Amino acid sequence: RIESRPRERTGAVLHDGERALVFAVRKQADAQLFALQQSFGKLLDAFRSDYPDLDFYVSNDQSELLAVSINNLRTSLLYGACFAILIMFFFFRDWRAPVLIGLAVPLALLLSVLGFYLLDLSINIISLSGLILGVGLMIDNSIIVIENIRQYRAMGHSPTEAGVQGAREVIRPLISSALTTCSVFVPLVFLSGLAGALFYDQALSISIALGMALLVAYFLLPTLWRLLDRGRPYGKKPESDRRDFFTRSVDFVLDRRWLFLLLFLLLLGSMYLPIGQLKQETFPPLSRKALQVDIDWNSSLSFAENEARVRTLITDFAPHSTSATAEIGSQQFLLATEAQSSNEAQIIYFFAEANSFPDTALRQKIQEAYPEASLRIAPLENVFDQVFGAKMAPLRVQLQSNRNQEPPSPEQLQPVVDFLNQRGIFPALPPLEEQLAISINRQQVLRYGLNQQEVVTALQGLFADYQVEQLNTGNALVPILLDGPRAGLYQRLNQATLRNTEGQALPLSQFIQTRPVQSYKTIEAGVSGVAISLDLPRYDSALMEALREFIRAETELSVSFSGQAFEDRRTVRELSIILGIALLLLYLILAAQFESLVQPFIVMLTVPISLTGTLFLLWWSSQSINLVSIIGMIVMSGIVVNDAILKVDMMNRFRVSQDLRSAIHGAGRRRLKPILMTSLTTILALLPILFASGLGAELQRPLAFAVIGGLIVGTLSSLYFIPLIYELIYGEKP
């Protein structure tokens, strides 16, 4: 967009296309997106040099989302690798394990990109989000394999034997863990609408990332460890006090099994407390620092009057905003995406603080000064809203007349609007426009020997060039006409003629009467008929019921409801069904892994217990249940299930040659470090997101809270709940 310089602090008012020019550049190929962005930047620099009196700036750049995704991937890789290296130094006091992490994760990412190419999957914001999630799982798999190899070296095995035995022992549980994660993601592609489209690329990308991570962990890490080990003997180290403390704490829980089982069950049941308090949304709310006001004055205005009104509104609210800009009148941009009539205006106010908008005061100011105006006031859409934002209001009220098939008149709508205004809701009324109503003068028709059908036929022929379709309302055929210039319409009516039975040409205007009427610019029609819609800013079941009772008792209207809230609830219902199918797949995979019908329940019980931590942390942090937080729950479940699978598998191995309590102790000591390391690296890698700002941080924050809350509880569940349930099932019965 190019604007004249200088722009006033109170705002730049653009009208009739006289002082603005918009370049719209669109490109589908993701690989050329940033090259196109750079080229367009050079073009703007050239314009600035050639036309120093003009100000050039980019007003809408949808490549920002892809840049955010790439930055998130870079940040996740950086923080994940750094914290993994620090934690491995803390636990191992060795430089080789961190070096292997630094080599394995980038290589797994490169192989994942190769998998993208082979499967013809583009690099986009959704597939990149799958890679972002895959980075944490790549690090976890690498930590598990490296730690297991180290344990075999500590037992006195040679580097080759330690690499072979260490990787072989954990590869089956790791494959089962990867399959369980995929079994949750892949069914999500069958969601309808936007959610299904989002999960499709993400499910493929995370499946590719997990597959490549397993290949690197099983084939490359043992080889690299063998090269870096150089045959240095380890020698078996005595158990530390920390391990002794862990063993005693496990015995403390197992000796009081029924008490702690009751505590775990109470924890599991407490998840219903935050569920009723959490909102359900498609995406998390994002910070906005601008408010967009769309005004239809509903009256004939000159451009000068329109501009004067807009300047007054900008000036009155200048103390509350940092700046403002406006567009008035007809848009003449060749590539404009939204039409705007000559009696309309759009004002955008910018504020210093995010989401602090005096929208109520602004609405009252405009309605008091111009009561006939129709308003739409909403936060200015950002790039994410334009690509993925909901196209419907949270709640839409659809009103129909009970008396006829015509849409409700503005007078019929007014009681409903007053009812909503009393409850602090100010819906935008449908804009009106002046239309021409034509009626036939029957006395004149009979006086000159004509019949009414001849006049109707003449009128139909007069407007035949404008008519494109007919709308069947059930009891009438309503012609749909293309809007034409009003001057040409009057000229046609005045010049048209009719011939009577004697062949005389009579002016058509002598047999008709015209009068201007106010009618809706747009109407909606569905299977139930013609309706007028009012968009409300929030979903409120109590308000819906009260409004339904008011309309039934006080008006001759009928009401129905729709909106984004209903779509979100439908998505949640679909998600619940699909997650049920995913749990069934999860159970079947675990049953095949353990060759047992009971042990999969031990692993799967850790998921709902971990979800209690997720739900409580989401509630405490004022987050919501949305697609991003649900993805966080899935990722958290994958990590917790991974730990549980390895823990149960290790207890099964030890139980072959040891008694039950010794098998639990041995498996606990073997799995203690990997469980703590994978949980700590994930939590620490996500902590910076909680304190960051910007679009990328706001989108990832629900995911971070979901994963952190679940891992805190899930880690305790893996360390203590699994041994408790395992001993309850396989312990000696009295």
Side-chain angles (χ1 to χ4, degrees):
R1 175 171 294 173
I2 308 170
E3 290 185 358
S4 301
R5 184 190 297 230
R7 289 194 294 166
E8 302 175 10
R9 182 214 169 273
T10 56
V13 180
L14 312 179
H15 57 84
D16 222 21
E18 294 179 355
R19 286 189 276 174
L21 176 62
V22 173
F23 291 90
V25 182
R26 304 176 188 271
K27 193 73 174 179
Q28 297 298 326
D30 294 326
Q32 300 180 5
L33 181 59
F34 291 111
L36 175 67
Q37 186 184 39
Q38 294 174 359
S39 299
F40 191 72
K42 294 179 181 179
L43 177 64
L44 288 185
D45 291 338
F47 281 162
R48 294 186 182 102
S49 176
D50 295 340
Y51 305 98
D53 295 333
L54 296 178
D55 181 22
F56 298 80
Y57 65 93
V58 178
S59 64
N60 183 12
D61 183 4
Q62 293 190 3
S63 66
E64 292 176 8
L65 275 181
L66 187 59
V68 166
S69 298
I70 293 176
N71 183 63
N72 288 344
L73 177 61
R74 185 185 301 114
T75 303
S76 298
L77 183 61
L78 176 63
Y79 283 127
C82 289
F83 284 119
I85 290 172
L86 291 176
I87 289 174
M88 295 188 82
F89 266 124
F90 175 77
F91 277 95
F92 294 154
R93 306 290 198 274
D94 189 5
W95 61 272
R96 283 168 293 188
V99 169
L100 290 179
I101 292 289
L103 293 174
V105 175
L107 181 58
L109 280 176
L110 290 176
L111 291 176
S112 299
V113 174
L114 176 61
F116 280 23
Y117 173 77
L118 295 177
L119 294 179
D120 196 25
L121 183 65
S122 65
I123 295 179
N124 51 62
I125 58 176
I126 306 303
S127 59
L128 281 177
S129 67
L131 282 184
I132 293 171
L133 301 177
V135 167
L137 299 176
M138 292 174 186
I139 294 174
D140 292 346
N141 289 343
S142 301
I143 288 175
I144 291 170
V145 173
I146 293 172
E147 165 61 10
N148 216 46
I149 294 174
R150 282 180 52 86
Q151 289 179 1
Y152 270 93
R153 284 290 286 131
M155 296 176 190
H157 292 273
S158 67
T160 302
E161 292 176 348
V164 172
Q165 295 298 326
R168 179 183 297 169
E169 186 177 62
V170 297
I171 190 59
R172 285 186 60 193
L174 288 180
I175 292 175
S176 297
S177 175
L179 290 176
T180 55
T181 303
C182 293
S183 71
V184 176
F185 269 100
V186 172
L188 296 177
V189 303
F190 296 103
L191 282 172
S192 61
L194 177 61
L198 290 176
F199 278 118
Y200 179 78
D201 279 13
Q202 191 169 68
L204 288 181
S205 61
I206 200 168
S207 299
I208 293 171
L210 285 174
M212 298 305 173
L214 287 176
L215 291 177
V216 171
Y218 185 67
F219 292 105
L220 182 64
L221 285 180
T223 304
L224 293 178
W225 180 270
R226 174 66 182 82
L227 294 175
L228 295 177
D229 197 315
R230 301 183 183 278
R232 183 174 63 88
Y234 268 58
K236 187 171 180 61
K237 297 181 180 180
E239 294 182 357
S240 65
D241 293 338
R242 181 180 302 168
R243 292 184 180 181
D244 289 339
F245 170 77
F246 172 68
T247 302
R248 291 195 300 270
S249 65
V250 171
D251 286 337
F252 182 82
V253 172
L254 296 180
D255 293 339
R256 297 160 180 81
R257 65 181 70 175
W258 298 111
L259 173 62
F260 281 94
L261 179 62
L262 178 61
L263 293 177
F264 278 114
L265 291 177
L266 291 175
L267 178 64
L268 184 61
S270 67
M271 74 162 55
Y272 293 99
L273 296 177
I275 287 179
Q277 306 295 325
L278 289 169
K279 296 188 297 182
Q280 297 178 3
E281 301 172 315
T282 303
F283 292 105
L286 303 176
S287 298
R288 296 170 176 85
K289 293 187 176 182
L291 193 67
Q292 178 175 321
V293 183
D294 295 313
I295 308 174
D296 190 314
W297 301 110
N298 283 329
S299 59
S300 299
L301 294 178
S302 65
F303 283 115
E305 176 63 20
N306 198 343
E307 182 175 357
R309 292 186 179 188
V310 170
R311 286 192 180 276
T312 300
L313 293 176
I314 291 178
T315 303
D316 289 346
F317 277 83
H320 305 285
S321 61
T322 57
S323 62
T325 184
E327 292 180 357
I328 68 173
S330 300
Q331 294 183 355
Q332 297 178 353
F333 312 143
L334 294 178
L335 297 174
T337 58
E338 296 181 1
Q340 184 171 294
S341 302
S342 58
N343 65 336
E344 296 178 3
Q346 182 185 90
I347 309 174
I348 300 176
Y349 295 93
F350 298 90
F351 300 89
E353 297 182 5
N355 300 331
S356 59
F357 306 134
D359 49 340
T360 302
L362 180 60
R363 183 184 297 276
Q364 292 177 349
K365 170 69 177 179
I366 299 176
Q367 288 183 335
E368 290 175 359
Y370 313 102
E372 72 281 0
S374 297
L375 301 178
R376 180 186 176 274
I377 302 178
L380 182 65
E381 291 184 345
N382 54 30
V383 177
F384 186 84
D385 295 323
Q386 294 170 4
V387 178
F388 297 114
K391 304 305 179 185
M392 291 189 296
L395 181 62
R396 174 167 292 179
V397 181
Q398 295 172 315
L399 300 169
Q400 294 177 280
S401 175
N402 292 331
R403 293 188 300 179
N404 51 49
Q405 296 293 324
E406 298 297 324
S409 65
E411 291 76 17
Q412 290 178 297
L413 293 180
Q414 194 58 47
V416 180
V417 173
D418 294 339
F419 176 86
L420 294 173
N421 291 346
Q422 293 172 2
R423 285 155 178 78
I425 301 175
F426 303 93
L429 291 173
L432 304 173
E433 67 178 357
E434 186 179 278
Q435 298 181 356
L436 192 64
I438 303 175
S439 59
I440 299 176
N441 190 331
R442 297 182 180 181
Q443 294 180 350
Q444 286 289 93
V445 170
L446 294 175
R447 180 180 301 173
Y448 285 91
L450 298 173
N451 60 62
Q452 184 172 323
Q453 184 59 42
E454 290 178 319
V455 180
V456 173
T457 302
L459 289 172
Q460 289 176 340
L462 188 65
F463 296 108
D465 295 341
Y466 293 95
Q467 183 169 337
V468 293
E469 188 55 83
Q470 283 187 327
L471 174 65
N472 188 349
T473 64
N475 60 357
L477 292 176
V478 179
I480 300 175
L481 308 178
L482 293 175
D483 188 18
R486 185 62 56 86
L489 172 62
Y490 283 112
Q491 184 178 7
R492 283 194 173 199
L493 289 174
N494 291 328
Q495 293 179 353
T497 59
L498 287 173
R499 291 190 180 273
N500 59 10
T501 56
E502 299 176 358
Q504 296 176 332
L506 304 174
L508 176 63
S509 58
Q510 185 176 350
F511 305 100
I512 61 175
Q513 295 174 341
T514 61
R515 59 185 177 88
V517 295
Q518 292 290 324
S519 185
Y520 299 112
K521 287 185 177 181
T522 59
I523 60 175
E524 297 180 6
V527 293
S528 59
V530 181
I532 295 299
S533 296
L534 301 178
D535 290 339
L536 307 188
R538 67 178 185 273
Y539 175 85
D540 189 334
S541 58
L543 174 65
M544 290 170 54
E545 186 61 30
L547 182 59
R548 186 180 287 111
E549 293 295 330
F550 173 81
I551 291 175
R552 184 184 299 117
E554 303 292 335
T555 70
E556 296 181 346
L557 304 175
S558 60
V559 63
S560 60
F561 299 95
S562 61
Q564 188 63 37
F566 293 91
E567 293 296 315
D568 294 344
R569 289 173 177 269
R570 180 184 57 80
T571 300
V572 171
R573 287 195 298 269
E574 288 185 2
L575 192 60
S576 301
I577 296 173
I578 290 175
L579 286 179
I581 298 173
L583 289 177
L584 178 60
L585 293 176
L586 175 61
Y587 175 80
L588 295 177
I589 293 171
L590 293 176
Q593 158 69 22
F594 296 121
E595 298 179 355
S596 170
L597 298 178
V598 177
Q599 290 187 359
F601 287 108
I602 302 177
V603 175
M604 295 175 64
L605 280 174
T606 61
V607 175
I609 291 177
S610 303
L611 286 177
T612 58
T614 292
L615 294 173
F616 272 106
L617 193 57
L618 288 175
W619 169 75
W620 176 80
S621 58
S622 300
Q623 299 295 321
S624 63
I625 297 178
N626 50 65
L627 290 179
V628 179
S629 59
I630 289 174
I631 293 173
M633 296 178 193
I634 296 172
V635 173
M636 178 275 303
S637 301
I639 298 174
V640 172
V641 166
N642 188 7
D643 294 338
I645 290 173
L646 290 165
K647 186 75 172 285
V648 173
D649 181 76
M650 194 65 65
M651 287 190 291
N652 289 339
R653 292 175 182 272
F654 278 106
R655 197 159 63 93
V656 174
S657 57
Q658 301 178 14
D659 63 87
L660 180 60
R661 186 63 67 93
S662 298
I664 291 175
H665 290 164
R669 286 191 293 268
R670 288 284 302 274
R671 302 309 314 152
L672 176 62
K673 280 187 178 180
I675 290 175
L676 292 178
M677 285 191 293
T678 53
S679 298
L680 286 174
T681 52
T682 305
I683 291 174
L684 292 176
L686 292 174
L687 277 179
I689 297 175
L690 306 183
F691 305 99
S693 59
L695 178 61
E698 290 183 342
L699 287 175
Q700 283 191 298
R701 193 166 291 130
L703 182 145
F705 277 116
V707 174
I708 291 174
L711 283 184
I712 292 174
V713 178
T715 300
L716 296 176
S717 173
S718 298
L719 295 178
Y720 296 103
F721 178 72
I722 289 178
L724 173 61
I725 299 298
Y726 196 89
E727 188 173 73
L728 281 174
I729 294 175
Y730 294 103
E732 294 183 2
K733 304 298 186 292

